[in-house]
Amino acid sequence: MENTKLNPYLALLIGVISVSTSAILVKFSESPSGVIAFYRLFLSVLLLLPLFLTRYVSELRLITKRDWIYSMIAGIFLALHFILWFESLNYTSVASSTVLVTLQPLFAFIGTYFFFNEKISLVTILSGLIAIAGSAIISWGDFRISGSALFGDILALIACALVTVYLMFGQNVRKRLSLITYTFIVYSFSSITLFFYVLFRNESFIPKQSSDWIYFFLLALVPTLLGHSLFNWTLKWLSASTISMAILFEPVGAIILAYYLLDEGLIWSQIIGGIIVIGGISLFVIDERKARLTKNKLAMSGGGNE
């Protein structure tokens, strides 16, 4: 953790608390999902612009063609993630949506299994089955409430898969760029993607209620610049699995805020299913960390014998 005055674990905690406000702010807004997502990222880019131009613009000369492509892909998938996740909140509760998005570590493993040929352990299979069972309980409970709630759950799951792609491509680029440069580039690609999405949907960029501008700004400032940017910063110091583990606590903060600010209660299927999902994902992340540590020890041992 060279040259860092802020403890990465403290940064991770602040990031989790910050992103917990995201679903609440989206619920407060009456604008379409694409418009909310656009302003969330576009205003983030504008807030970053002065700092980027004065201190980091020279980094652009060092970016390789591969990094540009990876950043563009990461930005596009981040945009799609926000569209579907925000849309899910129109159909299902904050509790169900945020809990289902925590399945991200499993999607990350599936991606690394197919693209990087990582092995599957018995614990991984078990944790996956546990998490799937928990999500099934949540979805079943929501389906009993209404079919639209189940549709919202499905959107949240797809959004979860999309943010996994964003993180996989982003982690590769982040190790070679400063936080500000990486964030500015990726958010810019996301903003461009969302701009054309809103145009394609023929939606108005002007919100119906003026208070939405406040929610747009808060979304850009708190969960995006403070929250997601802190996650991006910690990628340089902490493993993706550690960050994924911490993100598991986002639903807890979001559920508490939804209870007090949105008057959203919890049904038994959300409580039981949520505990099972978080338990399954926790088991997976802990096992993945142990496997990584064992692999590193074997590598060091092998290197010492050469």
Side-chain angles (χ1 to χ4, degrees):
M1 298 181 184
E2 56 185 290
N3 301 325
T4 174
K5 295 180 180 180
L6 177 62
N7 188 305
Y9 291 99
L10 176 60
L12 195 57
L13 174 62
I14 297 173
V16 171
I17 295 173
S18 300
V19 297
S20 296
T21 65
S22 182
I24 309 302
L25 293 170
V26 172
K27 281 278 195 178
F28 280 152
S29 174
E30 293 186 2
S31 296
S33 301
V35 175
I36 300 173
F38 168 73
Y39 279 114
R40 173 174 182 167
L41 292 168
F42 177 65
L43 291 177
S44 298
V45 171
L46 291 183
L47 290 171
L48 285 172
L49 184 60
L51 181 61
F52 174 74
L53 291 178
T54 55
R55 297 187 58 183
Y56 296 93
V57 70
S58 60
E59 280 192 52
L60 293 178
R61 299 195 305 267
L62 306 176
I63 302 176
T64 65
K65 181 179 178 181
R66 179 186 180 187
D67 285 345
W68 278 115
I69 294 173
Y70 276 28
S71 297
M72 180 180 66
I73 295 173
I76 291 172
F77 275 93
L78 179 62
L80 296 176
H81 157 73
F82 279 135
I83 291 170
L84 292 187
W85 184 45
F86 290 177
E87 192 66 24
S88 77
L89 290 166
N90 290 326
Y91 298 94
T92 192
S93 66
V94 169
S96 295
S97 181
T98 53
V99 167
L100 291 173
V101 169
T102 61
L103 288 168
Q104 183 271 324
L106 279 183
F107 284 98
F109 178 80
I110 294 172
T112 56
Y113 171 75
F114 283 105
F115 292 103
F116 303 108
N117 296 318
E118 289 196 5
K119 295 181 180 179
I120 298 180
S121 68
L122 182 61
V123 176
T124 296
I125 297 174
L126 178 62
S127 62
L129 292 175
I130 292 173
I132 291 171
S135 62
I137 292 174
I138 292 174
S139 298
W140 177 72
D142 286 349
F143 179 69
R144 292 186 63 188
I145 297 175
S146 70
S148 62
L150 177 61
F151 178 67
D153 293 347
I154 294 172
L155 290 178
L157 285 172
I158 298 174
C160 179
L162 293 173
V163 79
T164 301
V165 180
Y166 153 68
L167 287 173
M168 289 177 64
F169 279 94
Q171 182 176 6
N172 186 287
V173 179
R174 172 65 185 100
K175 293 177 179 178
R176 295 184 293 278
L177 296 177
S178 66
L179 170 66
I180 299 299
T181 301
Y182 168 76
T183 302
F184 182 83
I185 292 173
V186 173
Y187 288 2
S188 294
F189 279 122
S190 292
S191 299
I192 294 169
T193 303
L194 289 163
F195 175 79
F196 285 106
Y197 173 82
V198 173
L199 284 182
F200 177 77
R201 298 271 298 179
N202 198 28
E203 295 170 342
S204 174
F205 285 94
I206 307 300
K208 294 180 180 179
Q209 59 176 15
S210 57
S211 58
D212 274 10
W213 290 113
I214 299 175
Y215 303 137
F216 295 159
F217 178 76
L218 289 176
L219 276 167
L221 186 64
V222 181
T224 309
L225 288 184
L226 188 59
H228 283 275
S229 294
L230 282 173
F231 291 153
N232 290 332
W233 181 79
T234 56
L235 277 173
K236 191 170 184 177
W237 314 106
L238 305 175
S239 68
S241 60
T242 300
I243 296 170
S244 297
M245 188 73 179
I247 293 174
L248 294 180
F249 294 96
E250 177 190 348
V252 178
I255 289 169
I256 293 173
L257 290 173
Y259 178 80
Y260 286 104
L261 299 178
L262 300 173
D263 199 28
E264 281 194 5
L266 291 172
I267 59 176
W268 68 268
S269 59
Q270 291 172 330
I271 297 173
I272 295 175
I275 292 173
I276 292 174
V277 167
I278 293 176
I281 298 300
S282 299
L283 178 64
F284 165 76
V285 174
I286 292 171
D287 178 67
E288 193 270 345
R289 183 174 182 274
K290 288 181 178 178
R292 188 180 298 274
L293 289 174
T294 301
K295 183 178 179 180
N296 290 339
K297 287 180 180 179
L298 290 174
M300 291 176 65
S301 174
N305 293 330
E306 291 179 357

